[in-house]
Amino acid sequence: MVEAHPSSSTPAVGAVVIHCSEAAFQPYYQEFLKRGLHLESYAVFAVPGGPHCLTLADTFPRFSWAGWRWMEFLMQQTKAERIVLIAHDDCRWYHDPRFGFDPKGIPARQAADLQLLRRRMAEHFGEKRVDLYFAQLEGGRARFEVVT
């Protein structure tokens, strides 16, 4: 049996982070959030395709509905002032045939989805800082680029 003893005080949550649940990227996400963005504490919303689930109102409305409810819950519970959205290269979710995306156009589609979500986050949550990133694995390392 393993026991955990949470601290008596809950640390302030610096951000709500949405990224893909792809196992290969998990250690890189954690390192980037802590060392790259210097986030001491953050709430994670990780699902296949990451932020894409919030764009599916027309295609998969139940996914979109659930994703926005989870996001609203996290924002309400954490009182975070920052949202970090991360997409990644060669995301299998985006390559799923049910979406019909042209494989060559997927990186541009991911960037467009992130930009759309920046606007939607402002509609839902007001003037929060929303950071967009695209991750790529290269030779056993990950590179995170800002999406403008």
Side-chain angles (χ1 to χ4, degrees):
M1 175 184 219
V2 176
E3 292 184 23
H5 302 281
S7 68
S8 58
S9 63
T10 303
V13 174
V16 171
V17 178
I18 305 175
H19 60 63
C20 186
S21 57
E22 169 65 42
F25 279 85
Q26 298 312 305
Y28 301 108
Y29 290 147
Q30 292 171 26
E31 180 180 2
F32 174 67
L33 294 169
K34 290 183 181 195
R35 293 188 183 152
L37 299 183
H38 306 288
L39 292 173
E40 295 293 322
S41 178
Y42 51 88
V44 175
F45 176 7
V47 293
H52 188 240
C53 75
L54 301 174
T55 69
L56 298 173
D58 294 331
T59 315
F60 292 100
R62 289 182 182 170
F63 285 9
S64 181
W65 181 88
W68 280 106
R69 293 307 150 298
W70 289 327
M71 188 63 193
E72 289 166 3
F73 175 82
L74 287 171
M75 292 300 291
Q76 182 181 47
Q77 294 299 308
T78 64
K79 310 281 191 264
E81 290 297 319
R82 184 177 183 185
I83 300 167
V84 178
L85 307 177
I86 307 172
H88 71 84
D89 189 37
D90 200 29
C91 182
R92 290 183 284 175
W93 178 259
Y94 274 84
H95 284 275
D96 190 291
R98 75 184 98 190
F99 299 119
F101 297 145
D102 173 8
K104 293 177 184 169
I106 288 175
R109 174 63 189 244
Q110 289 173 291
D113 285 346
L114 291 174
Q115 293 160 342
L116 169 67
L117 287 172
R118 175 184 279 144
R119 294 187 299 275
R120 291 209 178 138
M121 292 295 169
E123 293 168 7
H124 280 266
F125 307 115
E127 295 299 317
K128 306 288 183 192
R129 177 178 172 179
V130 180
D131 298 329
L132 311 177
Y133 296 95
F134 188 79
Q136 292 181 289
L137 294 181
E138 296 175 344
R141 299 189 54 86
R143 182 180 58 165
F144 289 79
E145 294 182 9
V146 174
V147 176
T148 56

